[in-house]
Amino acid sequence: HGSFQQPFVQLSHSSTMSSNNNTKHLQYHSGFNNQHASEALKGALPDFQNTPQKCPFGLYAEQLQGSSFTAPREHNFRSWLYRIRPTASYPEFKPLKKSSSKIQCSFPTNEYTSPRRYRWMPVDIPNEKTDFIDGIFTIAGAGNAAMKSGFATHLYAISDDMYNSTDKKRVMINADGDFLLVPEHGALYIKTEFGDLEVHPKEIAVIPRGVRFAINPLNGTARGYICELFQGHFELPGLGPIGANGLANPRDFLYPTARYEESDDKVQVVHKMQAKLFETQTWSPFDVVAWHGNYAPYKYDLTKFCAVNSVTFDHIDPSVFTVLTAQSPVAGTAVVDFVIFPPRWGVAENTFRPPYFHRNTMSEYMGLITGNYEAKMATSKKGGFVPGGGSLHNCMSGHGPEIRVFEKESTKKLEPERVGDGSLAFMFESMYHFNVTKFGAQEATLDEDYAEVWSDVKKNFNPNERGV
């Protein structure tokens, strides 16, 4: 019923490289926010213009705009797609008839709004066949997608393909925001209009607003985290006095190369708008033969993050571990920061090295991809902070290392040591308050004993003995 074309890569506009982990030998363009250009059929891109009177090979030119036309150049995002049929020719969308979706995109103050410190166990991977669209659960968020303000924090747990060659052809469009995907269990094969990505745990992917995509679990099941950004787009953080290098290097962000299907098989296209789902039946939307621009999905390998830390004394603020940020109009203040805690050396002298006790104007949702987080040691009746689980410390809610961690790290002999080997934790940090959803407060598995990790804090104060 159709043919699948391997990519021809136009190297004159962007270098390409292969992913270390992929099993499909996919090739990628390299460079964050570069102006990439890719062809699956040599000569499919117009020679120098965007909208010639006639496009090569009878293709249609279609622009996908990720910002307003008049946004400043450094914040102006768009790509030109040269496709077999334009998306304007799709049949009209109608409300999706059947959906088990628990997606939210509006987060007003509700009955669950609280300074409570939350900790959740992982969601179960469903036994019944559940694809990505039906396997998303919103746990918390802030703002409103309709106003393009704020973000949402979701979990996903899936056990079925969205798109395959036998019995399933389902595609998603998200008009509400950009998806930042953080796999915890199971690799993902992400098929998009721009080409395909393969994303494993310890990697992330970003699918910008409006890009059509389908996600399959490569090994049958998958689970992970999503930050859906309603406001702006993710960018690399400024390096300030660090200099020109360090943290996430631009060259390590990988973009897909063009691949296309020419198929008239019926495909269900599901459009998410203000968390409502709509559907239409049409042909394959993966019919882009060539594209160029700076608005496209991408992936990044978190093990390539170049960590910066103190080599003298004191615990440096976690902002030095920022991979991506989405800035608010207030300078240096993020709608969302995506922060990781990678394996690294700890060498600070006369210093309490784990994260300190603190209260923060920013709110923090933490997740664990693998291993054990350095500031967490105790287990509760529910199991503690484990891969696939999460915790939430809202604005000005006191938190910090668990008491057994504090006692151990306050008294041990300090030597250069490895920190976090075999572990990878992350944080979605925001200027906004997180409002927890009904799913997060009542349906997800809460660790009701979380606060007990600080219940044994001792009073050590002695006004007659300085003790240092």
Side-chain angles (χ1 to χ4, degrees), residues 172-183:
M172 188 176 191
I173 313 163
N174 181 14
D176 291 334
D178 293 2
F179 273 159
L180 188 161
L181 303 170
V182 186

Side-chain angles (χ1 to χ4, degrees), residues 39-355:
E39 296 177 320
L41 180 62
K42 188 173 182 178
L45 283 173
D47 290 334
F48 63 91
Q49 61 184 123
N50 297 322
T51 55
Q53 187 177 22
K54 290 186 178 181
C55 291
F57 301 109
L59 297 171
Y60 290 88
E62 179 179 275
Q63 183 174 209
L64 178 62
Q65 191 84 24
S67 59
S68 67
F69 289 119
T70 54
R73 186 172 286 250
E74 65 270 22
H75 298 296
N76 203 303
F77 299 101
R78 65 92 177 93
S79 285
W80 281 96
L81 289 71
Y82 299 89
R83 59 193 321 148
I84 295 171
R85 281 175 281 205
T87 55
S89 58
Y90 284 6
E92 200 55 78
F93 284 91
K94 297 179 180 179
L96 185 64
K97 294 177 182 177
K98 294 181 179 180
S99 174
S100 57
S101 170
K102 295 189 177 183
I103 301 175
Q104 284 186 220
C105 75
S106 181
F107 300 94
T109 301
N110 60 37
E111 59 188 294
Y112 311 115
T113 300
S114 167
R116 173 182 179 174
R117 295 158 298 184
Y118 283 90
R119 183 155 74 184
W120 292 274
M121 296 297 101
V123 294
D124 292 331
I125 294 174
N127 293 319
E128 65 278 7
K129 286 190 172 183
T130 303
D131 68 16
F132 181 79
I133 295 173
D134 294 326
I136 300 176
F137 310 87
T138 306
I139 202 158
N144 187 309
M147 301 301 293
K148 295 187 177 179
S149 174
F151 67 96
T153 298
H154 314 291
L155 307 173
Y156 69 85
I158 59 177
S159 56
D160 194 20
D161 293 346
M162 283 180 62
Y163 200 95
N164 57 44
S165 59
T166 55
D167 63 342
K168 194 83 175 282
K169 292 194 182 295
R170 205 176 191 203
V171 172
M172 188 176 191
I173 313 163
N174 181 14
D176 291 334
D178 293 2
F179 273 159
L180 188 161
L181 303 170
V182 186
E184 173 265 326
H185 159 78
L188 303 176
Y189 193 88
I190 305 176
K191 193 174 183 64
T192 83
E193 297 174 275
F194 292 80
D196 300 351
L197 300 169
E198 189 172 310
V199 185
H200 292 248
K202 298 186 182 180
E203 295 182 317
I204 60 169
V206 173
I207 304 175
R209 184 196 309 264
V211 173
R212 286 155 168 77
F213 68 92
I215 293 179
N216 293 346
L218 269 178
N219 301 309
T221 61
R223 181 174 62 195
Y225 309 84
I226 305 171
C227 180
E228 183 178 10
L229 178 64
F230 306 145
Q231 186 172 344
H233 301 289
F234 289 104
E235 58 189 69
L236 295 177
L239 295 180
I242 293 174
N245 304 288
L247 309 189
N249 291 312
R251 66 174 295 202
D252 293 325
F253 288 82
L254 304 180
Y255 291 71
T257 53
R259 300 163 70 90
Y260 73 92
E261 288 181 351
E262 185 178 3
S263 173
D264 292 325
D265 288 350
K266 288 298 181 183
V267 176
Q268 182 193 39
V269 179
V270 178
H271 190 116
K272 181 170 86 73
M273 185 174 186
Q274 296 181 46
K276 294 184 177 181
L277 301 181
F278 303 84
E279 67 174 326
T280 190
Q281 296 287 332
T282 184
W283 50 86
S284 173
F286 304 124
D287 65 348
V288 176
V289 180
W291 65 271
H292 74 85
N294 65 349
Y295 190 67
Y298 56 88
K299 60 177 277 187
Y300 173 72
D301 183 344
L302 297 174
T303 66
K304 295 182 178 180
F305 184 82
C306 180
V308 175
N309 210 344
S310 172
V311 294
T312 52
F313 60 88
D314 279 353
H315 180 98
I316 301 300
D317 295 333
S319 49
V320 297
F321 299 122
T322 301
V323 179
L324 293 169
T325 184
Q327 289 291 295
S328 75
V330 180
T333 306
V335 176
V336 178
D337 281 332
F338 174 62
V339 179
I340 65 170
F341 302 96
R344 60 200 182 276
W345 280 97
V347 298
E349 297 175 320
N350 192 31
T351 293
F352 181 77
R353 290 176 178 173

Side-chain angles (χ1 to χ4, degrees), residues 278-452:
F278 303 84
E279 67 174 326
T280 190
Q281 296 287 332
T282 184
W283 50 86
S284 173
F286 304 124
D287 65 348
V288 176
V289 180
W291 65 271
H292 74 85
N294 65 349
Y295 190 67
Y298 56 88
K299 60 177 277 187
Y300 173 72
D301 183 344
L302 297 174
T303 66
K304 295 182 178 180
F305 184 82
C306 180
V308 175
N309 210 344
S310 172
V311 294
T312 52
F313 60 88
D314 279 353
H315 180 98
I316 301 300
D317 295 333
S319 49
V320 297
F321 299 122
T322 301
V323 179
L324 293 169
T325 184
Q327 289 291 295
S328 75
V330 180
T333 306
V335 176
V336 178
D337 281 332
F338 174 62
V339 179
I340 65 170
F341 302 96
R344 60 200 182 276
W345 280 97
V347 298
E349 297 175 320
N350 192 31
T351 293
F352 181 77
R353 290 176 178 173
Y356 42 73
F357 291 107
H358 64 290
R359 292 173 295 154
N360 195 349
T361 188
M362 305 289 278
S363 299
E364 304 170 353
Y365 174 87
M366 281 196 65
L368 186 61
I369 299 168
T370 187
N372 297 294
Y373 177 53
E374 63 195 273
K376 308 291 184 182
M377 185 179 188
T379 57
S380 68
K381 296 173 184 177
K382 295 290 186 179
F385 187 59
V386 297
S391 66
L392 174 61
H393 304 134
N394 247 320
C395 175
M396 295 304 172
S397 294
H399 59 286
E402 296 180 0
I403 187 58
R404 286 197 291 169
V405 174
F406 177 81
E407 290 173 348
K408 176 185 174 184
E409 295 291 332
S410 296
T411 57
K412 76 177 188 181
K413 181 180 178 181
L414 292 180
E415 297 177 329
E417 61 182 338
R418 292 290 299 170
V419 177
D421 278 344
S423 175
L424 186 58
F426 74 88
M427 182 164 64
F428 300 146
E429 184 175 68
S430 176
M431 61 182 279
Y432 294 116
H433 294 197
F434 284 73
N435 279 323
V436 175
T437 63
K438 179 181 178 182
F439 171 81
Q442 293 189 349
E443 299 173 40
T445 305
L446 276 168
D447 184 347
E448 301 288 356
D449 306 315
Y450 181 30
E452 291 182 8

Side-chain angles (χ1 to χ4, degrees), residues 350-352 406 410 460 462 464-468:
N350 192 31
T351 293
F352 181 77
F406 177 81
S410 296
N460 298 320
N462 183 344
N464 299 312
E465 184 178 343
R466 190 161 183 259
V468 294

